[in-house]
Amino acid sequence: MVPTCGLLTCQEEPVPLKSISVTLSICEFVAGVSATLNYKNEEKTPLEAFFIFPMDEDSAVYSFEAIVDGKKIVAELQDKMKAHGNYENAISQGHQAFLLEEDKCSRDVFCCNVGNLHPGSNVALILKYVQELPLEADGALRYVLPAILNPRYQLSGWPEDSCLNMKTPIVPLEDLPYTLSLFATISSQNGIQRIQCNCPLSPIEYLGNDKTSAQTSLADGHKFDRDVELLIYYSEVHTPSVAVEMGKPTTEPDCLMGDPCAMVSFYPNIPEAQPPITCGEFVFLMDRSGSMRGPVSKQDKSQLRIEAAKETLILLLKSLPIGCYFNVYGFGSCYEAFFKRSVKYSQRTMEEALRKLKVMNADLGGTEILTPLKNIYSGPSIPGHPLQLFVFTDGEVTDTFSVIKEVKSNSLRHRCFSFGIGEGASTSLIKGIARVSGGASEFITGKERMQSKVLRALKRSLQPVVEDVSLSWNLPPGLSAKMLSPKQTVIFRGQRLIIYGQLSGMMPPAEATGEVCFKYTLQGKSFENKVTFSLQPKSDANLTIHRLAAKSFLQTKDMGFRETPANDKKDVLKVSIECGVISSHTAFIAINKDLNKPVQGPLVRRDIPRPILLCASAVMPFGGAYTKASSSYCPPASRPTRSTSYYSSMSYQQNCYDPHRSTISKSLYSLVFGDNHLVQLISLQKADGSWDLNEGLAMVLGMSLEDILAALPIQNGDSSGWATVLAVLWLHTNGKDMKCEWELLERKAVAWIHIHAGSVMNVLMRAAIAFLKSSVDPAIFVL
């Protein structure tokens, strides 16, 4: 028997995709990417190959071309239905054809079709895109090259024309038959401090003495077991700027591509309000699908997703302000709620929520988020308490546009803060629901702690709303600016703001300048930021700013192939085709009609395999996405509950620890808490911010209860005041590296001390510092 040539899938079928090479160019906070997919048909029959791959949803894909045996064929962007018809016609006539499209149901999944790849033929498919890079809290710019496409949960009766329905072969990582290479160039006029990556890199080469540019590449052997993530630290990232780009002179009048385009970048210095607001309805929607049993990352000793989520919920529940309302939902194939409707936050309701958190596990099947969202939105608003929704998911949802549409239709009554957990979380879902509701999104991968990012978002949600937001242009006579970005209504402290404008009219001489002014009001006080900029547009062959402006517009209007209203679809098609930026309604099509002889006979289909990851394979069928009935409410008593993590036995358990008791078995306490002293201490805090003096606190402090009571400086004084001062000092002494996670609950504790122990606070504070032999500055007790 003659062996089959070339690389094989697990079904021993040859794989026409041989390698993926990526060239990345980052200038300031914009990335330009060129990705090349190299195919070769080593079989004796013509092939049609399909490759499904992830893309960040912020990517503006603007170019697609094929190089067939040395000949370049540039693709045309067309209406999606027209492109599909042209592709099928070309294939049926024996011509080579190439199709690139965004999935109809999710903006972060693409499909590439290679039709009539004849025997021995080599084809390189090149797609290009640009994107803004998000700014992290520590000042890093984050670029992610998605390499993981997790299986997406599907509802029964789901439309069959989604590329996510393709049953692509899945192979172990070590058997993946194609390779990935990446070469990166990074530049900033302010200088580069450092570059970090979650994957091995070649030595970073800095060009010039001023470190304004650098080059690096991905080390050989990347096997698609994680997304490739670069963190770039510049010497300065918070400088406001305006860049003006020259248009395309051959374009028709009134076209976005014909006029100069401006990209405005602001970093509003919004002061932190004191004190933060204490009202609000806080609803936490937690993914409990089977995939949440996987680790947050592939790195050693990574926390399981569900365990990190449960610890995060403990921190959230302890950090909420007294007087607000809250609820917790878990969702999978069905959903459960801790309470029928949101309840007022108190010691009683917090303890009840923590008891229910004990039995929460990743045991609800698939990822059906739409039904619980509708249930949350169906509830009546609580006067004086605006809804703040926190969504936690690994993002394995198929119909992201339907979810985004539901969130958008309720955007006037709430903000949504979304968190993508682990590799392969859907950027379309996570970024989309935050964007349409005026919230913020975060992704937790690698060694990042979910707790830090979520508590930072809670802190943002407790800040007063910025009002009366406006942007004005001061331009020379005869020149006007048309806003291309949606009107900004919500701004957070530390947030970067990017706005696009189309400049129309007569451009002035080279030395002319313009000014843009950003104004807002916070707690009755007016603020403004101004930037003066040159009106001399710069030329860019890739028209980067124009493409990004078009993408910003499309993200506002394009709600998916099925969900976009008719009027918006017309605008989406016009801007997408005029600007050459792909949308859910358009596709790139390239046809090679110059073959000496059209391909004859039936085509053999080849689906490019994807890697199988442990956390996905443990909960998904081997064939990819799976189907279950649509979700519904799950009565908690109707199904067994269990928990295997040590978080399942925290001090709030009725059978483990009563905060009003003064003794507890040391062996039992050790079993309950493990060795996480920070979580131990936080779990003991009461809803009003105080701590009781008991054996649990004594164990965290590493002292006997008798010694702590003996050190109480005021005879017959309130032991809770003494306990709370000691707990706050312990946090600052032993948990300072995680301050961002406990800062809110610590401020609540200090406020309680001022109210309930204000007259003796200084006495307690000095005695506690001496008792704990602490070097902490007493100023921590100042409100």
Side-chain angles (χ1 to χ4, degrees):
M1 181 177 180
V2 179
T4 308
C5 61
L7 297 165
L8 307 177
T9 69
C10 55
Q11 288 82 27
E12 298 187 355
E13 296 172 341
V15 177
L17 177 64
K18 303 303 177 184
S19 66
I20 303 172
S21 59
V22 177
T23 302
L24 168 66
S25 176
I26 296 175
C27 181
E28 304 301 348
F29 53 85
V30 174
V33 183
S34 176
T36 303
L37 311 177
N38 293 295
Y39 292 84
K40 183 175 183 179
N41 183 3
E42 296 178 334
E43 298 188 60
K44 296 180 179 180
T45 56
L47 298 180
E48 182 177 21
F50 298 84
F51 183 41
I52 300 170
F53 57 96
M55 290 275 285
D56 191 291
E57 91 114 33
D58 287 336
S59 304
V61 180
Y62 67 88
S63 175
F64 181 56
E65 58 189 36
I67 300 178
V68 183
D69 297 326
K71 178 190 175 183
K72 180 189 290 189
I73 307 166
V74 178
E76 178 185 349
L77 189 62
Q78 298 177 354
D79 178 289
K80 179 173 283 190
M81 300 309 294
K82 178 182 177 182
H84 271 268
N86 289 338
Y87 175 83
E88 296 297 336
N89 288 337
I91 294 298
S92 65
Q93 294 173 27
H95 300 303
Q96 280 185 334
F98 311 94
L99 185 73
L100 178 70
E101 63 178 321
E102 184 181 284
D103 185 61
K104 291 182 178 180
C105 305
S106 191
R107 218 191 312 258
D108 61 345
V109 178
F110 276 65
C111 183
C112 181
N113 298 13
V114 180
N116 279 331
L117 186 61
H118 57 256
S121 179
N122 290 284
V123 175
L125 299 181
I126 305 168
L127 65 95
K128 297 178 181 179
Y129 66 90
V130 291
Q131 72 176 102
E132 303 165 4
L133 299 184
L135 182 66
E136 298 291 293
D138 63 353
L141 290 163
R142 183 178 195 150
Y143 169 75
V144 176
L145 177 67
I148 304 300
L149 178 57
N150 290 330
R152 301 286 176 94
Y153 176 77
Q154 291 180 221
L155 293 174
S156 58
W158 184 248
E160 296 182 358
D161 56 353
S162 167
C163 64
L164 289 165
N165 281 336
M166 291 185 185
K167 296 295 187 285
T168 55
I170 300 177
V171 298
L173 286 170
E174 61 271 16
D175 296 335
L176 200 67
Y178 47 89
T179 60
L180 173 68
S181 62
L182 180 145
F183 178 79
T185 302
I186 299 148
S187 61
S188 171
Q189 62 182 1
N190 295 312
I192 303 166
Q193 282 189 347
R194 66 186 187 277
I195 300 167
Q196 296 177 355
C197 186
N198 66 333
C199 301
L201 293 176
S202 65
I204 298 170
E205 179 183 358
Y206 290 97
L207 310 178
N209 297 326
D210 55 0
K211 293 180 73 172
T212 54
S213 63
Q215 292 180 344
T216 188
S217 58
L218 193 63
D220 293 339
H222 182 81
K223 274 295 183 181
F224 296 85
D225 60 336
R226 67 190 72 176
D227 296 337
V228 180
E229 177 183 279
L230 284 174
L231 295 175
I232 301 107
Y233 294 84
Y234 295 144
S235 299
E236 175 56 57
V237 293
H238 293 97
T239 304
S241 63
V242 180
V244 181
E245 182 179 85
M246 188 179 296
K248 198 174 179 181
T250 57
T251 311
E252 296 179 6
D254 300 323
C255 174
L256 168 60
M257 300 299 282
D259 291 327
C261 192
M263 179 168 65
V264 182
S265 175
F266 274 118
Y267 300 84
N269 186 22
I270 300 173
E272 185 171 353
Q274 293 293 343
I277 59 176
T278 58
C279 61
E281 179 189 3
F282 298 89
V283 175
F284 306 108
L285 180 57
M286 181 64 65
D287 190 340
R288 290 176 53 188
S289 62
S291 53
M292 287 288 286
R293 291 197 295 268
V296 172
S297 79
K298 304 297 156 204
Q299 302 184 20
D300 292 339
K301 298 180 180 178
S302 175
Q303 233 181 343
L304 295 184
R305 296 174 185 181
I306 190 64
E307 290 187 357
K310 290 173 74 170
E311 184 180 326
T312 302
L313 275 176
I314 293 172
L315 286 165
L316 287 167
L317 291 172
K318 296 290 184 176
S319 301
L320 290 176
I322 286 286
C324 73
Y325 288 76
F326 79 102
N327 203 352
V328 179
Y329 283 73
F331 71 93
S333 302
C334 57
Y335 70 90
E336 297 177 355
F338 281 14
F339 309 97
K340 287 186 177 180
R341 289 297 175 195
S342 295
V343 294
K344 196 165 187 178
Y345 181 71
S346 66
Q347 182 66 20
R348 181 187 62 80
T349 56
M350 183 194 74
E351 287 180 348
E352 185 176 350
L354 291 173
R355 282 194 296 271
K356 292 180 177 180
L357 182 58
K358 167 197 171 183
V359 295
M360 192 179 84
N361 206 354
D363 53 5
L364 291 185
T367 311
E368 169 48 39
I369 190 174
L370 190 57
T371 306
L373 274 176
K374 290 181 177 180
N375 180 268
I376 292 168
Y377 295 142
S378 68
S381 298
I382 302 173
H385 293 271
L387 175 61
Q388 312 261 25
L389 178 62
F390 289 70
V391 177
F392 306 83
T393 179
D394 55 16
E396 298 177 0
V397 178
T398 300
D399 189 12
T400 62
F401 284 121
S402 293
V403 178
I404 294 169
K405 180 183 179 183
E406 182 68 23
V407 174
K408 184 178 182 180
S409 65
N410 290 276
S411 60
L412 296 180
R413 56 170 294 202
H414 87 301
R415 288 188 296 185
C416 179
F417 298 86
S418 53
F419 304 90
I421 304 168
E423 306 286 353
S426 169
T427 60
S428 180
L429 177 71
I430 303 302
K431 291 183 178 183
I433 59 177
R435 183 179 60 250
V436 298
S437 64
S441 60
E442 295 274 10
F443 291 86
I444 299 103
T445 59
K447 295 181 179 179
E448 294 175 322
R449 283 180 61 81
M450 182 190 308
Q451 297 86 332
S452 302
K453 293 198 168 188
V454 174
L455 268 294
R456 185 165 61 242
L458 178 63
K459 188 176 180 181
R460 280 179 166 182
S461 73
L462 291 170
Q463 288 292 303
V465 175
V466 172
E467 300 175 309
D468 302 327
V469 178
S470 67
L471 190 81
S472 59
W473 302 76
N474 184 6
L475 301 172
L479 188 64
S480 63
K482 175 186 176 182
M483 292 290 291
L484 298 172
S485 303
K487 179 177 172 57
Q488 199 74 25
T489 56
V490 179
I491 313 161
F492 298 106
R493 191 168 182 265
Q495 182 184 13
R496 180 188 63 195
L497 190 63
I498 297 178
I499 299 161
Y500 296 96
Q502 180 180 357
L503 302 181
S504 303
M506 183 68 67
M507 293 299 290
E511 65 276 6
T513 60
E515 182 183 78
V516 62
C517 180
F518 179 67
K519 296 181 180 179
Y520 59 92
T521 302
L522 179 66
Q523 292 185 310
K525 187 177 180 181
S526 297
F527 297 86
E528 69 174 37
N529 297 146
K530 292 182 178 180
V531 181
T532 301
F533 61 97
S534 169
L535 281 168
Q536 183 64 26
K538 295 182 179 179
S539 177
D540 179 356
N542 294 326
L543 295 163
T544 300
I545 293 178
H546 285 76
R547 313 282 192 195
L548 290 172
K551 181 67 176 181
S552 176
F553 176 87
L554 292 173
Q555 284 181 320
T556 305
K557 296 279 190 178
D558 188 357
M559 286 292 107
F561 189 77
R562 298 176 183 86
E563 303 288 349
T564 306
N567 288 341
D568 287 343
K569 179 181 177 180
K570 182 179 178 181
D571 293 338
V572 166
L573 278 170
K574 180 177 185 295
V575 170
S576 177
I577 292 173
E578 283 182 353
C579 300
V581 175
I582 202 167
S583 70
S584 66
H585 298 276
T586 52
F588 280 105
I589 173 76
I591 299 173
N592 180 16
K593 297 182 179 180
D594 296 337
L595 291 174
N596 293 330
K597 183 180 179 181
V599 175
Q600 302 292 326
L603 292 177
V604 177
R605 177 176 177 134
R606 291 288 180 259
D607 294 301
I608 308 303
R610 294 188 289 110
I612 185 169
L613 302 181
L614 178 61
C615 64
S617 63
V619 295
M620 295 287 191
F622 192 72
Y626 63 90
T627 302
K628 283 199 175 183
S630 60
S631 78
S632 59
Y633 178 67
C634 298
S638 66
R639 30 179 303 280
T641 55
R642 62 191 184 279
S643 181
T644 56
S645 76
Y646 80 83
Y647 300 106
S648 66
S649 303
M650 287 296 183
S651 67
Y652 46 80
Q653 305 296 326
Q654 288 180 322
N655 61 338
C656 292
Y657 184 69
D658 182 345
H660 300 294
R661 289 169 55 192
S662 60
T663 60
I664 184 173
S665 159
K666 289 189 177 183
S667 60
L668 176 60
Y669 192 90
S670 175
L671 176 65
V672 167
F673 287 112
D675 57 0
N676 191 331
H677 292 281
L678 179 61
V679 177
Q680 294 171 22
L681 183 68
I682 290 169
S683 296
L684 293 169
Q685 189 187 31
K686 297 168 71 175
D688 62 7
S690 67
W691 275 264
D692 283 332
L693 183 54
N694 50 39
E695 193 72 33
L697 179 62
M699 288 184 181
V700 174
L701 297 179
M703 300 177 178
S704 71
L705 185 59
E706 292 75 15
D707 289 344
I708 298 173
L709 283 167
L712 179 60
I714 303 167
Q715 191 173 5
N716 299 321
D718 176 24
S719 63
S720 291
W722 177 232
T724 305
V725 170
L726 290 171
V728 170
L729 276 175
W730 189 96
L731 282 171
H732 283 273
T733 304
N734 299 282
K736 56 186 177 183
D737 292 341
M738 294 182 180
K739 183 179 179 181
C740 60
E741 297 182 16
W742 50 257
E743 186 177 15
L744 287 174
L745 62 89
E746 182 266 358
R747 287 292 88 191
K748 190 162 65 166
V750 170
W752 183 92
I753 292 169
H754 276 261
I755 294 170
H756 296 276
S759 60
V760 294
M761 183 178 71
N762 290 333
V763 176
L764 294 173
M765 180 181 66
R766 287 193 297 268
I769 290 174
F771 180 63
L772 295 178
K773 298 180 176 60
S774 173
S775 59
V776 172
D777 188 346
I780 64 171
F781 290 97
V782 176
L783 278 176

